Amino acid sequence: MIAKPAFDLVFRHAVTRTSASTVDIGVADGWIAAIAPHLSCEAAEIDLEGRLALPGFVDTHIHLDKACLLGRCGHDHASVADAIRAVAAMKRDFTVEDVYARGAKVIERAITAGTTRMRTHVEIDPRIGLRGFEAVKALKRDYAWALDLSLCVFPQEGLTNDPGTDELLVAALNDGAEAIGGCPYVDTDPNAQIARIFDLAQQFDIDVDLHLDFDLDPSWWHMEEVCRQTERRNYQGRVAIGHATKLSALSPERLKAASARLAAAGVAVTVLPATDLYLMGRDATHNAPRGLTAAHRLVADGVLCSVATNNVQNPFTPFGDASLLRMANLYANAAHAGIGEFDTCLDLVTELPARLMNLRDYGIAVGNPADIIVLDTDSATNAIAELPDVLLGFRRGRKTFERQKPTLFRPGTSLSPSS
């Protein structure tokens, strides 16, 4: 007698991005144990009825510590510098409890929008101290049941020109920060900041994720120094740059050369559509530039890229619901992606950011954690085109959220008394 395999849960009739037809996904002890056209077993079942199953969205760049601040600032911000100044003035009064509450609000929206992995950038300097870091550490702990949260610490207002910041960064790194970033364009010595960030990354054996080249003047940039440092430190595949809006202002020939340089150095690029579109080109009186780097075209040239949230309802971006699917759709619209490129647009919030964060256990594959979300559609192309509901989410095989499909009440439909 041959024993049937033992599963805790089986997803029936799932569409995955690698299957030619529907498959069953068997889960045991929180891990994906089998994937086959039909699994013969006795277990709890969920029939996906041909819907798309994904391993969850991956947000490589978000700022939980300064989210949801719109009610505290009563003026518009026309530039990156204005937004930095506005947050700098507010964050002196941030408390651990305040940062935690605002961050929790965004995390819960992200979870129900299908995000299962996230890297949050956390500001460290003498004005905020380690309060934001302490709050986000608590969020990481308290929401581990639904989401893997990684902390990337960085100096928003400079490093070499901001005494006390270096010591605070080191303290955060000693206390478990998992990546380090920077903002060279606000430093009086950008190259020295870049070098110091790489020094710390090597010392603590962590990845680098920088804010970089965030304007539309292509006559100068810090990209080359980052590539040089990456190669000098043998850090290929461990470095990312966020925004990089200067790339959107390059001619096709210069963009091709820049793509080749990034690919050769193993430096990834994260495009942040909501913020990049909001802040770039605001001084134009007409025919305003998008300021959005074409990530899907960089991918075609061998550059590892992601699309991410960045800011949610603050001076940098007064919009946001933490939905990466919406962000991918926004990106596809603004970047003039063709229908044949929609699959890559979905890659930019799933497979590619997982590679950028060097996640070794991501994906719907046997042996990986059963982190699965279900979209109310049947293909990657339709996921971008339709913006379908994310119906279900699971973390290690445990349901983390469920969204009910809307019900239409046609004329003559019997309604309950409460209706």
Side-chain angles (χ1 to χ4, degrees):
M1 182 175 179
I2 300 175
K4 292 182 178 180
F7 300 116
D8 306 315
L9 174 65
V10 175
F11 295 95
R12 299 286 188 193
H13 309 114
V15 171
T16 71
R17 299 188 68 190
T18 57
S19 59
S21 57
T22 61
V23 295
D24 292 348
I25 304 169
V27 177
D29 297 323
W31 300 83
I32 297 175
I35 301 174
H38 178 72
L39 294 173
S40 179
C41 63
E42 293 181 4
E45 297 185 1
I46 298 177
D47 190 348
L48 301 191
E49 300 178 331
R51 294 186 178 90
L52 179 64
L54 296 173
F57 299 119
V58 182
D59 203 331
T60 62
H61 192 127
I62 193 169
H63 294 265
L64 295 176
D65 56 337
K66 58 188 181 189
C68 303
L69 293 173
L70 287 188
R72 306 184 191 186
C73 47
H75 55 286
D76 290 329
H77 306 90
S79 70
V80 177
D82 286 347
I84 291 174
R85 280 192 293 269
V87 173
M90 286 186 279
K91 71 183 176 184
R92 295 176 185 273
D93 298 323
F94 288 177
T95 64
V96 174
E97 295 75 18
D98 168 47
V99 174
Y100 184 98
R102 290 184 286 103
K105 180 179 179 181
V106 175
I107 283 181
E108 291 181 11
R109 293 293 297 272
I111 290 168
T112 58
T115 296
T116 55
R117 315 283 184 110
M118 176 184 285
R119 174 184 284 173
T120 183
H121 291 245
V122 185
E123 294 189 19
I124 303 287
D125 59 42
R127 288 154 295 285
I128 182 65
L130 296 174
R131 298 190 302 280
F133 180 72
E134 291 298 327
V136 178
K137 269 203 315 176
L139 290 169
K140 174 184 175 71
R141 177 195 67 223
D142 293 348
Y143 285 92
W145 56 272
L147 172 140
D148 280 335
L149 182 61
S150 175
L151 278 61
C152 177
V153 294
F154 84 108
Q156 172 72 83
E157 299 173 47
L159 178 58
T160 68
N161 56 319
D162 198 5
T165 298
D166 196 295
E167 292 81 359
L168 287 166
L169 282 172
V170 171
L173 293 169
N174 277 317
D175 197 21
E178 295 138 302
I180 187 166
C183 207
Y185 51 83
V186 301
D187 206 302
T188 53
D189 192 341
N191 285 354
Q193 181 183 131
I194 293 169
R196 178 57 179 158
I197 295 302
F198 273 90
D199 286 343
L200 290 170
Q202 285 191 299
Q203 178 183 340
F204 288 90
D205 191 23
I206 54 176
D207 291 355
V208 173
D209 197 336
L210 299 159
H211 296 67
L212 207 75
D213 294 339
F214 193 16
D215 61 51
L216 297 178
D217 179 1
S219 67
W220 62 274
W221 58 22
H222 296 127
M223 187 194 83
E224 177 56 38
E225 177 62 15
V226 171
C227 290
R228 190 184 74 81
Q229 289 282 356
T230 301
E231 292 171 333
R232 176 173 166 248
R233 317 280 184 135
N234 293 316
Y235 241 58
Q236 294 91 336
R238 301 191 66 179
V239 179
I241 57 176
H243 298 295
T245 50
K246 286 179 184 286
L247 295 174
S248 73
L250 297 180
S251 66
E253 297 75 21
R254 287 189 65 194
L255 181 60
K256 202 77 172 175
S259 299
R261 183 72 180 103
L262 289 163
V267 173
V269 175
T270 295
V271 173
L272 305 161
T275 302
D276 298 346
L277 288 166
Y278 178 70
L279 286 176
M280 294 298 98
R282 292 186 70 83
D283 55 346
T285 59
H286 62 286
N287 200 24
R290 282 176 164 82
L292 186 74
T293 292
H296 67 291
R297 297 194 177 98
L298 293 181
V299 169
D301 286 337
V303 182
L304 180 59
C305 293
S306 69
V307 160
T309 298
N310 197 41
N311 284 292
V312 176
Q313 298 178 30
N314 71 11
F316 293 86
T317 319
F319 316 103
D321 59 1
S323 168
L324 278 178
L325 188 59
R326 184 182 67 82
M327 198 61 67
N329 173 277
L330 172 65
Y331 168 83
N333 274 275
H336 291 152
I339 295 173
E341 296 166 320
F342 283 8
D343 258 44
T344 301
C345 292
L346 189 60
D347 288 340
L348 288 166
V349 292
T350 53
E351 309 293 337
L352 297 177
R355 284 175 49 199
L356 186 153
M357 289 179 60
N358 290 304
L359 303 177
R360 310 298 183 193
D361 62 351
Y362 177 85
I364 296 181
V366 173
N368 281 349
D371 298 347
I372 294 172
I373 63 170
V374 179
L375 275 61
D376 192 17
T377 193
D378 60 0
S379 70
T381 296
N382 286 340
I384 296 298
E386 297 174 354
L387 268 181
D389 287 337
V390 185
L391 298 177
L392 295 167
F394 293 80
R395 161 83 165 144
R396 299 287 172 100
R398 175 190 174 274
K399 187 186 290 186
T400 55
F401 74 90
E402 181 175 2
R403 178 175 286 105
Q404 298 296 326
K405 291 189 65 177
T407 301
L408 292 176
F409 294 98
R410 302 183 187 282
T413 301
S414 176
L415 302 179
S416 66
S418 62
S419 301

